[in-house]
């Protein structure tokens, strides 16, 4: 069946959105930011060069700046806002291990790349709970950071893996 | 620059209707697969006249089928990551495919970009086509029938597909349906292997040059090269074959001097495609090294395949 997609239903960070209007040239990042107000997903280069817009679609890291909004139809999306356990509560405890680890290990400076970096980290740790430095570099190949020089980012990810693993053991 | 403002985005599972739509709209319609190259084309103003974006992602073209042991058929909308994870490109003489996929970064792109998109975008910076060419890939193209009836299917060698940057033999209304690559299980008189090497400024960058080689090596003591296909990417507007180098190593055991001299003489007077990261002169300097590296890897793999009986 030929179907012209002009609106989509999808799930973002556990919330079901219905009948969100999309234009034929819309990408997922525009919908997330401008229609849903989820501005944690950043717009940097807008053509696949920086990674600031990284989100997860069905558990896979994608650049939302070049992901057709129509492809989000009936999909499950995770953005940086969905990493924390509670969106409304701004306490350190409510943050995910990844967020806490970046905070505690100085994994960010200006923060512009950080939501994308943390989404790539989330996808990496879901796949590989004990990454080595090379695994981290491979997973972050598509995330550019102008500030940190990456050293602190790598430290934060190694620490996040430890935190997650020890949390899993104590559960 | 004209803004990209299409009126329609069509996402359909009906092949016939998609083909009819593409045929009826001609240059006002444009196919989108993963979209990773499409938005770049759109934002740079290359396709301002497009009014309908036609997605092929729901046409059921996402498959990897190698039940017929002589070849593998890869559906056009199979993502690069799906192909990489299938590991089909890691043996049977098509190791160049696995090498190329691992060199395509980042994961955000491999998760979405498709095999058909890599083949059809026709830009010098992509990697998979060079490897597919070395491995003698064929394309199956589908198009709407001229009068009512089943859609037509045409087969073409990838060797004949590229015309120029952004230009292939595809006509309006045609879709690449699948890519077929011959598989080489252990053969009687020779062993076949391949390799792909990319040279870029950083591991994340597009290539400055890339090279893919598939060769067969004589069984037994001699270990001479029986047949060879060498393709080079990033140095012209489309990937090119290197017959002069192939001729030099046929029926011989290749060595460094032979390969370096053959490469230097082939490109001594040719201007290679410059980019912001590498002039023609620079590419001419690195090319013999990259070709040598790639040929050595393919040759070593062929010998290894013989020893392991693969
Ligand atoms: C930041 C970035 C880095 C990249 N790095 C690399 C790299 O290192 N190496 C590499 O090889 N590639 C790389 N790529 C991917 C490459 O440049 C293309 O974007 C990708 O191959 C296109 O695939 P797609 O499925 O997204 O195609 P789309 O963007 O959807 O389409 C690309 C073109 O092909 C046409 N098309 C697509 N499928 C078909 C089909 N089945 N039949 C007919 N026409 C079709 C479309 O009409 C369009 O013109 C990178 C891309 C980006 C954005
Ligand atoms: S904004 Fe998407 S990659 Fe830069
Ligand atoms: S923290 Fe500033 S760009 Fe990464």
């Amino acid at each position: 069946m030929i179907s012209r997609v002009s609106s989509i239903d999808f799930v973002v960070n556990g919330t079901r959105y219905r009948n969100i209007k999309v234009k034929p040239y819309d990408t997922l990042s525009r919908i997330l930011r401008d229609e849903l107000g989820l501005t944690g997903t950043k717009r940097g280069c807008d053509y696949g060069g920086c990674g600031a817009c990284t989100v997860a679609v069905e558990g896979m890291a994608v650049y939302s700046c070049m992901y057709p909004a129509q492809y989000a139809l009936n999909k499950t999306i995770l953005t940086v806002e969905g990493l924390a356990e509670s969106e409304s509560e701004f306490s350190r405890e409510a943050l995910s291990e990844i967020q806490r680890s970046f905070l505690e290990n100085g994994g960010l400076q200006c923060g512009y790349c950080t939501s994308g970096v943390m989404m790539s980290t989330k996808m990496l740790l879901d796949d590989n709970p004990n990454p080595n430095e090379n695994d981290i570099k491979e997973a972050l190949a598509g995330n550019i950071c102008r500030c940190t020089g990456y050293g602190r980012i790598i430290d934060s990810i190694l620490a996040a893996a430890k935190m997650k693993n020890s949390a899993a053991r104590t559960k | 620059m004209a803004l990209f403002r299409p009126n329609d985005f069509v996402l359909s599972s009906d092949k016939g209707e998609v083909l009819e739509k593409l045929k009826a709209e001609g240059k006002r319609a444009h196919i989108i697969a993963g979209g990773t190259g499409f938005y770049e084309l759109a934002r740079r103003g290359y396709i301002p006249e497009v009014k309908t974006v036609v997605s092929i992602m729901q046409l059921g073209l996402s498959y990897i089928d190698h039940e017929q042991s002589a070849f593998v058929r890869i559906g056009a909308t199979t993502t690069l990551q799906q192909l990489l994870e299938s590991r089909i490109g890691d043996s049977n003489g098509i190791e160049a495919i696995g090498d190329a996929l691992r060199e395509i970064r980042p994961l955000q792109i491999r998760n979405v970009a498709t095999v058909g998109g890599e083949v059809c975008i026709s830009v010098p910076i992509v990697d998979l086509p060079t490897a597919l060419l070395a491995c003698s890939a064929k394309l199956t193209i589908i198009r709407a029938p001229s009068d009512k009836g089943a859609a037509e299917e045409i087969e073409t060698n990838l060797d004949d597909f590229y015309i120029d940057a952004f230009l292939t033999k595809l006509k309006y209304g045609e879709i690449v349906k699948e890519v077929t690559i011959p598989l080489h299980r252990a053969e009687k008189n020779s062993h076949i292997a391949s390799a792909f090497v990319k040279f870029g400024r950083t591991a994340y960058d597009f290539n400055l040059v890339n090279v893919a080689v598939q060769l067969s090596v004589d069984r037994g003591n001699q270990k001479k090269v029986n047949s060879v296909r060498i393709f080079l990417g990033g140095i012209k507007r489309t990937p090119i074959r290197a017959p002069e180098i192939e001729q030099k190593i046929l029926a011989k055991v290749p060595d460094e001097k032979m390969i370096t001299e053959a490469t230097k003489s082939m490109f001594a007077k040719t201007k290679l495609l410059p980019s912001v990261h590498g002039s023609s002169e620079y590419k001419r300097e690195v090319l013999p090294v990259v070709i040598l590296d790639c040929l050595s890897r393919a040759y070593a793999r062929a010998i290894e395949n013989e020893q392991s009986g693969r």
Side-chain angles (χ1 to χ4, degrees), chain A residues 5-12 15-23 26-28 30-32 34-37 69-70 72-73:
Chain A
V5 184
S6 53
S7 68
I8 55 171
D9 292 359
F10 61 164
V11 174
V12 183
T15 304
R16 178 166 293 283
Y17 292 87
R18 290 184 203 280
N19 205 19
I20 301 294
K21 297 273 172 286
V22 293
K23 299 193 189 80
D26 270 340
T27 57
L28 180 57
R30 198 200 73 76
I31 298 299
L32 291 172
D34 300 348
E35 303 299 326
L36 308 192
Q70 295 76 3
L73 178 70

Side-chain angles (χ1 to χ4, degrees), chain B residues 19-265:
Chain B
L19 288 167
E20 283 299 338
K21 181 90 189 156
L22 287 170
K23 189 176 160 198
E25 301 243 344
K27 70 175 185 178
R28 289 190 312 274
H30 201 95
I31 294 170
I32 188 171
T36 63
F38 179 90
Y39 286 105
E40 180 81 0
L41 300 177
R43 285 172 188 150
R44 283 176 188 260
Y46 291 164
I47 47 175
E49 71 278 15
V50 168
K51 293 295 162 220
T52 307
V53 180
V54 181
S55 172
I56 57 169
M57 292 305 278
Q58 292 199 349
L59 295 185
L61 300 179
S62 182
Y63 53 83
I64 301 167
D65 173 6
H66 50 99
E67 272 171 29
Q68 303 268 349
S69 62
F71 49 83
V72 54
R73 292 165 50 240
I74 304 161
T77 59
T78 306
T79 66
L80 304 182
Q81 186 65 12
Q82 285 168 340
L83 187 56
L84 178 62
E85 285 175 4
S86 78
R87 308 215 49 197
I88 187 73
D90 288 345
S91 55
N92 294 318
I94 63 165
E95 300 83 357
I97 306 294
D99 292 344
L101 291 166
R102 274 183 285 276
E103 288 291 347
I104 301 175
R105 294 189 180 85
L107 179 61
Q108 286 98 322
I109 295 297
R110 286 202 308 271
N111 277 339
V112 180
T114 63
V115 171
E118 273 278 312
V119 168
C120 295
I121 194 164
S122 187
V123 289
I125 48 176
V126 293
D127 296 310
L128 192 59
T130 316
L132 288 170
L133 282 160
C135 296
S136 304
K138 285 185 179 358
L139 303 179
T140 305
I141 295 169
I142 46 174
R143 66 169 168 233
S146 23
D147 37 52
K148 283 275 171 228
E152 288 176 36
E153 286 202 5
I154 317 144
E155 232 188 41
T156 181
N157 291 328
L158 188 57
D159 292 48
D160 304 324
F161 188 63
Y162 293 110
I163 299 173
D164 198 351
F166 300 111
L167 191 62
T168 66
K169 290 236 165 111
L170 279 182
K171 300 191 186 77
Y172 289 120
E174 293 182 341
I175 301 174
V176 168
K177 178 188 159 205
E178 68 184 23
V179 178
T180 307
I181 317 172
L183 297 177
H184 305 276
R185 318 269 177 198
E187 290 186 5
K188 231 184 181 173
N189 299 319
S190 63
H191 279 276
I192 298 188
S194 65
F196 168 93
V197 174
K198 168 177 177 171
F199 180 80
R201 199 181 44 129
T202 67
Y204 165 78
D205 261 335
F206 288 115
N207 74 64
L208 285 171
V209 303
N210 64 31
V211 178
V213 172
Q214 188 183 59
L215 48 72
S216 69
V217 172
D218 219 18
R219 243 176 212 262
N221 301 334
Q222 302 270 311
K223 310 274 188 279
K224 288 180 183 165
V225 171
N226 280 340
S227 65
V228 58
R229 285 169 69 83
I230 304 176
F231 280 83
L232 314 173
I235 60 164
K236 291 281 166 190
R237 290 165 68 88
T238 63
I240 60 163
R241 195 167 176 178
E244 291 89 338
I245 309 173
E246 293 174 0
Q247 283 306 320
K248 283 272 158 46
I249 61 171
L250 266 181
K252 301 200 185 78
V253 176
D255 65 42
E256 181 171 343
K257 189 161 170 273
M258 182 191 296
I259 297 164
T260 309
E261 278 173 8
T263 310
K264 284 194 170 153
S265 90

